[in-house]
Amino acid sequence: MVDVTMNRQGRRVLFKHGTVLKTVVLALLIALIVLPLLRTVLFTLQPDTVKAWSDVLTGRLSTNLFYKPLGNTLLIGVVVASGCVLLGGFLAWLVVMTNVPFRKTIGVMATLPFMIPSFAAALAWGALFRNDRVGGQVGWLQGMGLDIPDWLAWGITPTLIVLTLHYFSLAFTIIAAALATVNSDLVEAAQIAGAKGGRILMGIILPVTTPALVAAGSLCFAGAVSNFATPALLGLPVRMQTLSTRLFGMIEVGQVGRGYVIGILLVLISGAFLWAGNRIVSGRRSYATITGKGGRAKRFDLRSARWPLCAVAMVILISSTILPVVILSASSLAPSSANLFSNWTLHYWIGPSSQSIAQGIPGIVHNQDIVRALTVTLGLGLAVAFTGMFVGLLASYTTARFRKGWMSAVITQVSFLPLLVPGIAFGAAYIAYLGAPIGPFPALYGTFALLVIAATAYLLPFSVQTGRAVIQQVGGELEESARITGASFARRLSAITVPLAIRGLTAGGILIFVKIIRDLSLVVLLFTPTMPVLSVLAYRYASEGFGQFANAITVVILFISIAATLIANWLQAKSQPWLKN
């Protein structure tokens, strides 16, 4: 009798509404995210590779292997995060809380730098400031006769500037959203009480926006320390190493164990800073700025400072958006970066092979490697957009419709885990995971499937977030009615949820498409000559001194990214018309 009762209870748990779906989704996320990271750790603990830990942390070469790159990485992270919060906060304050001229234009332009790949900004910097220290072509300014110092052309200083100008738009987006909720009544009350501007800033604005400032700083820090392209292009020629470039170098020369150890340490450092940011915010009871007491927005009159502050904002934005695109476009047409705006030629775009130019490399239209890379990149973007939105929709559907239970909480936590993992470390984890045969399954290294699976897992936080937004728009009663009439889960999903949310899903898929086609950190270790992608090909051309080809490829990536982003924004506006207001 007891056995019968237990069996009935077990069946009730097993076939409880949503249990099977939760189990399937959780197993899928574990296979995509948890196992690669676990496999990397286990690989470094094997008898023949465990020595890599002592080599990296305490060995004779540990200073060059780990501690010097660690110092550079932390310096980059702290300075870039601080600079991004200052720049992003300044622009957000101008746009949200003041009557600065061209406020809307500043707001739109401040979101653009994050759309431009960081390696594009690094290439543009090189085309302008490169000097003759490492040989090869010099930049436009030295070509004009100016003496460019080494510290401005190579190393830590240009890396800090380029990364700050790339990531500040992320801080702007977060801080502007927080400032928009600050009730102006608080500020007006302080003004009536006689408080000065500094007192209002320190006593009201900063305290209530602390979570946004910490979140912006944490995300910019994590992005900067894991960035590979910029320190590789501007630092490696003068032997400035960061943890991401050192990880790449170790894998490239076959010291896989050391590379995986550095990757694990990089994940721990990024995770520790994000955790510290959460702890700082959670230490305070409340940061509520939206209450039932109402609120209204009031813009502060800048008086005589309106136009000077507008000019400062425009200099920052033009330097980070328009200038890199103009320089890259000009460089793709100029025979030399020293003569950016003269003797233009279309050879690097449509020219046939000629031994007198670029060692016989034909223009990108006739270059089979670039054409194949374009095909693979577009195919990769489409495949990852589809698989990412499919997995993201399943995960978000599960957590939105079946919220109760520990499995829903675990699914939510695991799906956002890739945010803690730098792209290059995630790529290394997938080499350890699927780079060798597993039982009857062959190794996937060098295949299109590995790129798709790794990119799908890496971008899962974005697809889950997008899926959650569109799922919450579809009322649950529609599906419940279909379920009562006997419709299966697949039938409900395909006939009700997906059609009703198709615009939002398509917009989310396009954003994932954009993120993967301009990504370099994840794919740089998964790249093989048989499976090339545009971003890595641009990096290879730049590293080998063919800057015009690298810049031309980057312009192609920029064009695709901007066009796809505009389409996604249009679709989001159609699916969420209230955003127009």
Side-chain angles (χ1 to χ4, degrees):
M1 185 63 184
V2 174
D3 291 341
V4 172
T5 304
M6 291 294 291
N7 289 336
R8 287 177 178 172
Q9 289 178 346
R11 282 197 295 271
R12 279 200 296 270
V13 172
L14 180 61
F15 294 105
K16 186 179 177 182
H17 192 43
T19 302
V20 175
L21 182 60
K22 287 181 185 177
T23 305
V24 172
V25 171
L26 185 57
L28 186 60
L29 295 185
I30 289 174
L32 285 175
I33 299 171
V34 178
L35 289 184
L37 302 177
L38 187 61
R39 181 73 179 262
T40 306
V41 175
L42 294 177
F43 181 89
T44 62
L45 298 178
Q46 294 176 357
D48 54 341
T49 55
V50 71
K51 188 175 179 297
W53 283 96
S54 59
D55 292 342
V56 171
L57 294 175
T58 60
R60 184 170 54 86
L61 300 176
S62 60
T63 301
N64 287 327
L65 277 179
F66 180 66
Y67 292 106
K68 279 187 177 179
L70 174 64
N72 290 332
T73 302
L74 292 179
L75 176 63
I76 289 172
V78 171
V79 174
V80 170
S82 303
C84 288
V85 170
L86 288 175
L87 277 185
F90 166 68
L91 293 172
W93 172 72
L94 279 183
V95 170
V96 177
M97 305 196 75
T98 73
N99 63 343
V100 68
F102 302 106
R103 192 169 56 84
K104 290 185 178 179
T105 304
I106 293 173
V108 172
M109 290 183 68
T111 62
L112 295 180
F114 202 58
M115 293 167 50
I116 300 174
S118 62
F119 65 85
L123 289 172
W125 184 277
L128 266 186
F129 294 100
R130 187 185 177 105
N131 65 11
D132 56 1
R133 176 179 174 180
V134 299
Q137 295 184 15
V138 297
W140 183 61
L141 293 177
Q142 188 154 40
M144 296 287 289
L146 299 176
D147 185 20
I148 304 300
D150 290 342
W151 62 266
L152 189 59
W154 307 101
I156 195 75
T157 301
T159 301
L160 293 173
I161 295 172
V162 168
L163 289 179
T164 302
L165 292 178
H166 175 67
Y167 284 107
F168 82 82
S169 63
L170 179 61
F172 166 82
T173 304
I174 298 172
I175 298 172
L179 285 177
T181 65
V182 175
N183 191 344
S184 296
D185 291 344
L186 298 173
V187 181
E188 286 187 351
Q191 289 175 326
I192 293 172
K196 302 296 184 184
R199 178 66 174 166
I200 294 174
L201 177 67
M202 301 301 293
I204 297 177
I205 304 296
L206 287 183
V208 299
T209 56
T210 297
L213 298 176
V214 173
S218 301
L219 291 176
C220 292
F221 177 90
V225 301
S226 62
N227 190 283
F228 167 75
T230 302
L233 289 169
L234 299 175
L236 279 185
V238 292
R239 299 183 179 180
M240 186 204 78
Q241 294 277 2
T242 63
L243 288 181
S244 59
T245 59
R246 181 61 83 189
L247 165 60
F248 175 75
M250 289 293 103
I251 301 289
E252 279 280 285
V253 299
Q255 298 184 14
V256 180
R258 291 177 176 178
Y260 289 168
V261 169
I262 293 172
I264 294 169
L265 295 172
L266 185 56
V267 172
L268 293 177
I269 291 169
S270 299
F273 273 85
L274 289 175
W275 174 82
N278 291 332
R279 290 290 299 172
I280 291 173
V281 175
S282 62
R284 178 170 163 158
R285 183 173 298 175
S286 173
Y287 294 94
T289 55
I290 303 174
T291 68
K293 298 178 182 177
R296 58 193 174 87
K298 180 182 182 239
R299 308 200 189 284
F300 297 97
D301 188 2
L302 294 175
R303 301 178 183 175
S304 59
R306 291 177 71 227
W307 287 103
L309 288 177
C310 176
V312 172
M314 284 300 177
V315 168
I316 295 171
L317 294 172
I318 290 173
S319 301
S320 58
T321 55
I322 298 175
L323 199 57
V325 176
V326 171
I327 292 172
L328 289 175
S329 301
S331 179
S332 69
L333 298 170
S336 166
S337 56
N339 301 295
L340 272 184
F341 302 101
S342 60
N343 302 323
W344 281 4
T345 173
L346 291 175
H347 173 80
Y348 303 103
W349 289 90
I350 60 174
S353 175
S354 171
Q355 291 302 320
S356 60
I357 303 178
Q359 298 182 10
I361 300 176
I364 63 174
V365 173
H366 300 288
N367 191 315
Q368 294 303 313
D369 292 338
I370 297 176
V371 173
R372 175 166 170 72
L374 175 63
T375 307
V376 172
T377 302
L378 293 177
L380 176 65
L382 293 173
V384 174
F386 178 78
T387 56
M389 285 312 302
F390 178 74
V391 178
L393 181 63
L394 278 183
S396 56
Y397 181 93
T398 305
T399 54
R401 294 288 187 260
F402 312 107
R403 299 178 182 176
K404 295 182 180 178
W406 63 270
M407 281 200 289
S408 294
V410 174
I411 289 171
T412 302
Q413 296 297 324
V414 173
S415 61
F416 285 93
L417 186 59
L419 284 178
L420 298 178
V421 185
I424 193 166
F426 208 80
Y430 258 83
I431 293 178
Y433 181 40
L434 298 176
I438 302 177
F441 300 102
L444 295 181
Y445 184 69
T447 65
F448 186 71
L450 180 60
L451 289 172
V452 173
I453 296 171
T456 300
Y458 180 60
L459 296 176
L460 203 56
F462 300 95
S463 56
V464 169
Q465 191 64 31
T466 305
R468 181 180 296 174
V470 297
I471 284 294
Q472 289 175 344
Q473 292 179 262
V474 182
E477 66 275 9
L478 298 173
E479 293 181 54
E480 189 63 22
S481 301
R483 190 178 70 83
I484 293 173
T485 59
S488 64
F489 166 72
R491 176 68 174 165
R492 299 197 304 271
L493 200 65
S494 61
I496 298 176
T497 305
V498 172
L500 289 176
I502 189 64
R503 283 180 174 170
L505 291 173
T506 306
I510 291 175
L511 292 179
I512 292 174
F513 171 86
V514 171
K515 289 191 72 65
I516 193 59
I517 65 168
R518 64 183 177 84
D519 178 86
L520 178 61
S521 297
L522 174 70
V523 298
V524 70
L525 285 177
L526 305 177
F527 168 93
T528 62
T530 58
M531 201 53 60
V533 291
L534 282 179
S535 57
V536 183
L537 211 56
Y539 169 70
R540 297 276 180 176
Y541 274 123
S543 303
E544 294 168 2
F546 301 108
Q548 287 84 355
F549 289 103
N551 296 335
I553 295 171
T554 306
V555 170
V556 172
I557 296 174
L558 278 175
F559 176 77
I560 298 173
S561 299
I562 292 173
T565 303
L566 293 176
I567 294 173
N569 290 339
W570 178 76
L571 286 172
Q572 281 185 332
K574 288 288 184 183
S575 63
Q576 298 171 331
W578 54 88
L579 291 179
K580 293 178 181 177
N581 297 321

